């Protein structure tokens, strides 16, 4: 018999066989399931042969705090509650950490049953450094917010991982190319599914691939650290990036950002920026 508490359970990200026997056993035993979408979860349970004779509770961002206490009250009444997401490991770009925090604060038992996770699967397939990485979640859909995110992360010398949707993929890759320049990138889609695909190379190569092949499915982008894939850059190499920054911000800020991002000599970049500024003015 299960101990009353919260059981954080990973579900398959594609291939149904990726769920662990332990997870299936616990999901069969719990009487209450907290999930993103009850319809999706019930369909998954049916496919996995897990009993549907349970209480399903919707657990979403905008009602997280109220629902969290409701779940804790259910646990304190003697129940075991499973927390699952539509696919993959709960809390990874999904709500849940507030629930875990409240459980800790109120001395409620919490445990996690590991399993499928798109972040880790993509990192393993990317062929890029795995010793240090940062998951940055879903990429914003607004141009300005996207630019700000990429600019903020560019100086961090680690492998970067993002989630993106098919309709925005090419626009995101094009904008990311301006910031990450000569770094390698690996783009994965439909992980563990029939049409799983990994496309690796330069930004130009990956953009060309998805220009010729319409993006479909769910995507994970993995960008190499700057010191792993970036050659010794010349001023001409950073011309597009510097030109873009000069059109968006002051000369001083543009130079500062470029020097931090590419570890280049400030005086050289400043002199080059003045030349580019003159070019822009002459247009």
């Amino acid at each position: 018999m299960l101990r009353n508490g919260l059981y954080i359970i990973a579900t398959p990200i594609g291939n149904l066989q990726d769920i662990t026997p332990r997870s299936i056993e616990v999901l069969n035993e719990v009487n209450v399931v907290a999930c993103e979408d009850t319809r999706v979860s019930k369909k998954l349970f049916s496919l996995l042969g897990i009993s549907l004779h349970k209480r399903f509770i919707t657990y979403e961002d905008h009602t997280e705090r109220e629902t969290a206490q409701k779940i804790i009250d259910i646990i304190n009444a003697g129940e075991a509650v499973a927390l699952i997401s539509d696919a993959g490991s709960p809390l990874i770009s999904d709500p849940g950490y507030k629930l875990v925090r409240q459980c800790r604060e109120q001395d409620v038992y919490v445990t996690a049953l590991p399993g499928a996770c798109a972040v880790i699967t993509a990192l393993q397939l990317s062929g890029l450094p795995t010793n240090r990485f940062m998951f940055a979640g879903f990429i914003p859909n607004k141009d300005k917010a996207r630019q700000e995110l990429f600019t903020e992360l560019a100086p961090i010398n680690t492998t970067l991982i993002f989630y993106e949707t098919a309709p925005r993929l090419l626009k995101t890759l094009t904008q990311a190319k301006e910031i990450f320049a000569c770094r390698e990138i690996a783009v994965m889609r439909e992980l563990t599914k029939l049409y799983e695909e990994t496309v690796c190379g330069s930004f130009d190569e990956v953009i060309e691939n998805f220009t010729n092949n319409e993006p479909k499915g769910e995507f994970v982008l993995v960008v190499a650290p700057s010191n792993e894939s970036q050659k010794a850059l010349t001023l001409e190499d950073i011309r597009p990036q510097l030109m873009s920054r000069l059109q968006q911000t002051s000369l001083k800020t543009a130079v500062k950002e470029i020097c931090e991002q590419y570890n280049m000599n400030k005086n050289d970049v400043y002199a080059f920026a003045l030349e580019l500024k003159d070019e822009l003015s002459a247009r």
Side-chain angles (χ1 to χ4, degrees):
M1 185 174 176
L2 286 177
R3 174 180 178 180
N4 62 304
L6 180 68
Y7 293 77
I8 303 168
I9 302 176
T11 56
I13 57 176
N15 193 313
L16 289 177
Q17 294 182 345
D18 289 339
I19 192 165
T20 67
R22 179 183 171 214
S23 294
I24 291 177
E25 181 181 347
V26 172
L27 288 173
N28 267 312
E29 287 191 44
V30 297
N31 291 319
V32 183
V33 178
C35 54
E36 291 179 79
D37 187 322
T38 58
R39 294 165 300 177
V40 172
S41 296
K42 287 177 181 178
K43 181 179 178 181
L44 175 65
F45 277 39
S46 293
L47 291 170
L48 292 170
I50 298 171
S51 171
L52 288 171
H53 295 294
K54 307 177 185 303
R55 180 181 175 189
F56 287 82
I57 298 174
T58 302
Y59 189 75
E60 304 171 302
D61 281 313
H62 64 278
T63 59
E64 188 172 2
R65 181 166 293 281
E66 297 81 4
T67 310
Q69 189 56 53
K70 179 180 177 182
I71 291 170
I72 290 172
D73 291 342
I74 291 171
I75 293 170
N76 285 332
E79 296 284 3
V81 178
L83 174 66
I84 63 174
S85 61
D86 284 349
S89 297
L91 281 76
I92 308 302
S93 269
D94 286 323
Y97 86 88
K98 291 177 185 176
L99 171 58
V100 173
R101 182 189 291 270
Q102 284 179 242
C103 284
R104 296 294 184 205
E105 289 170 352
Q106 298 180 44
D107 249 357
V108 172
Y109 175 71
V110 181
T111 191
L113 283 65
C117 178
V119 176
I120 301 302
T121 304
L123 183 64
Q124 292 168 325
L125 291 173
S126 70
L128 299 177
T130 59
N131 58 311
R132 186 168 178 257
F133 63 92
M134 177 180 177
F135 174 55
F138 283 98
I139 296 171
N141 58 9
K142 300 291 185 182
D143 290 350
K144 186 174 185 294
R146 195 185 295 121
Q147 180 89 9
E148 289 173 349
L149 174 65
F150 292 158
T151 301
E152 175 190 346
L153 296 177
I156 302 174
N157 187 28
T158 190
T159 299
L160 301 172
I161 306 173
F162 307 91
Y163 286 164
E164 187 53 289
T165 61
R168 295 202 301 262
L169 180 66
L170 281 170
K171 191 170 188 178
T172 291
L173 289 172
T174 301
Q175 198 165 359
K177 176 189 169 184
E178 293 181 8
I179 305 297
F180 298 117
C182 298
R183 299 191 194 188
E184 286 183 70
I185 181 172
V187 177
M188 273 67 63
R189 73 179 192 94
E190 298 295 88
L191 290 171
T192 78
K193 299 178 185 177
L194 181 63
Y195 296 106
E196 177 182 284
E197 180 183 22
T198 300
V199 180
C200 307
S202 67
F203 272 90
D204 284 335
E205 290 168 335
V206 173
I207 289 171
E208 181 181 6
N209 176 83
F210 288 109
T211 299
N212 296 329
N213 303 280
E214 181 185 358
K216 294 179 181 179
E218 302 290 329
F219 287 84
V220 185
L221 282 58
V222 184
V223 179
S226 58
N227 68 348
E228 289 289 336
S229 57
Q230 196 161 294
K231 64 182 181 181
L233 295 177
T234 67
L235 291 172
E236 280 301 320
D237 286 329
I238 54 97
R239 172 186 285 271
Q241 290 75 31
L242 184 53
M243 187 76 83
S244 174
R245 304 287 174 84
L246 288 170
Q247 292 172 309
Q248 298 172 34
T249 187
S250 68
L251 185 144
K252 181 178 179 181
T253 300
V255 170
K256 180 176 181 292
E257 290 177 352
I258 289 291
C259 290
E260 288 178 352
Q261 183 174 340
Y262 301 116
N263 194 27
M264 299 183 76
N265 181 275
K266 184 178 179 180
N267 292 333
D268 291 342
V269 174
Y270 188 84
F272 188 50
L274 288 174
E275 293 178 20
L276 296 184
K277 196 78 173 173
D278 289 340
E279 283 185 28
L280 289 171
S281 299
R283 289 181 179 179

